[in-house]
Amino acid sequence: MNDPFEQFDLPVAFEVDRDALEERFRRLQAELHPDRFVRQGDQARRMAAAMAADVNEAHDILANDYRRALHILERAGFEFDPERDTSRDMGFIEAQIEWRERLEDAERASDAAALDALADELNGARAEAREKVATALADPEKPADDARDRVLELRFFDRLLEELQRTRQSLAS
């Protein structure tokens, strides 16, 4: 895959111009749509489909805060396993345990109000974590020393909020 920022002709930065991203995505999708290559044969259509898939993946990276931050860290040479590594901030680890316990308690009690309160709290904490990531990646060529931990924290919030949403859905059904 080509570099997503280069594919979309965007500067390498955590904060992206969403309007420009979406406009370029629509343009690239239209240019690479396999139907445009019908007269050029199967090979041209397959190549266009592969390039369109690459554009879709690049868009998915740039449109997602966590994936975009992870890509910036990888570009800067940070090496870590985002699926196995965790934050080294003990205060944050303790808060993670508390939030997970609250989610489990609310699920066991089928307490929608507790889930709503936790969702509000987590969304606020995620917004703060996102700002910390933006600060840590202010210079994408030389991220701050704590950038890795900040990105892992953002991933935690995204995952826990997804889990909370699944819990809400299961309680509603």
Side-chain angles (χ1 to χ4, degrees):
M1 178 178 80
N2 296 322
D3 184 81
F5 290 102
E6 291 173 15
Q7 276 185 286
F8 283 84
D9 194 29
L10 292 171
V12 177
F14 179 68
E15 299 295 351
V16 295
D17 180 339
R18 297 289 179 157
D19 292 335
L21 174 64
E22 295 308 319
E23 183 276 323
R24 288 181 179 121
F25 181 56
R26 285 188 297 279
R27 182 178 41 83
L28 288 168
Q29 278 185 318
E31 289 174 9
L32 296 171
H33 196 281
D35 289 349
R36 293 184 62 146
F37 296 85
V38 169
R39 292 190 175 139
Q40 295 176 15
D42 286 343
Q43 184 177 3
R45 272 199 324 273
R46 282 193 299 276
M47 286 183 63
M51 291 185 327
D54 194 42
V55 165
N56 288 339
E57 176 66 13
H59 176 268
D60 290 348
I61 289 169
L62 295 178
N64 179 283
D65 289 339
Y66 167 68
R67 291 187 70 193
R68 186 173 60 257
L70 183 61
H71 180 75
I72 291 169
L73 288 179
E74 289 170 348
R75 280 180 58 104
F78 277 63
E79 292 185 26
F80 63 94
D81 182 346
E83 295 304 315
R84 295 176 59 195
D85 290 352
T86 59
S87 174
R88 295 171 286 195
D89 179 337
M90 287 308 296
F92 185 71
I93 292 170
E94 290 170 2
Q96 285 181 32
I97 293 167
E98 180 187 329
W99 282 315
R100 287 201 175 279
E101 287 174 352
R102 288 175 54 199
L103 177 58
E104 290 169 7
D105 291 346
E107 181 178 17
R108 269 194 301 278
S110 297
D111 187 343
L115 288 173
D116 290 345
L118 182 58
D120 289 345
E121 183 178 333
L122 289 172
N123 279 313
R126 187 205 182 277
E128 290 176 21
R130 188 187 185 288
E131 287 303 313
K132 290 178 184 177
V133 169
T135 299
L137 297 177
D139 179 353
E141 300 302 317
K142 193 168 176 70
D145 292 337
D146 68 344
R148 177 186 164 279
D149 281 344
R150 301 296 76 88
V151 171
L152 290 169
E153 290 168 9
L154 184 62
R155 181 195 65 188
F156 167 80
F157 287 114
D158 288 348
R159 287 184 170 177
L160 192 58
L161 284 163
E162 286 173 11
E163 186 177 334
L164 189 144
Q165 185 59 31
R166 284 191 304 272
T167 300
R168 281 176 160 166
Q169 290 170 348
S170 72
L171 291 179
S173 56

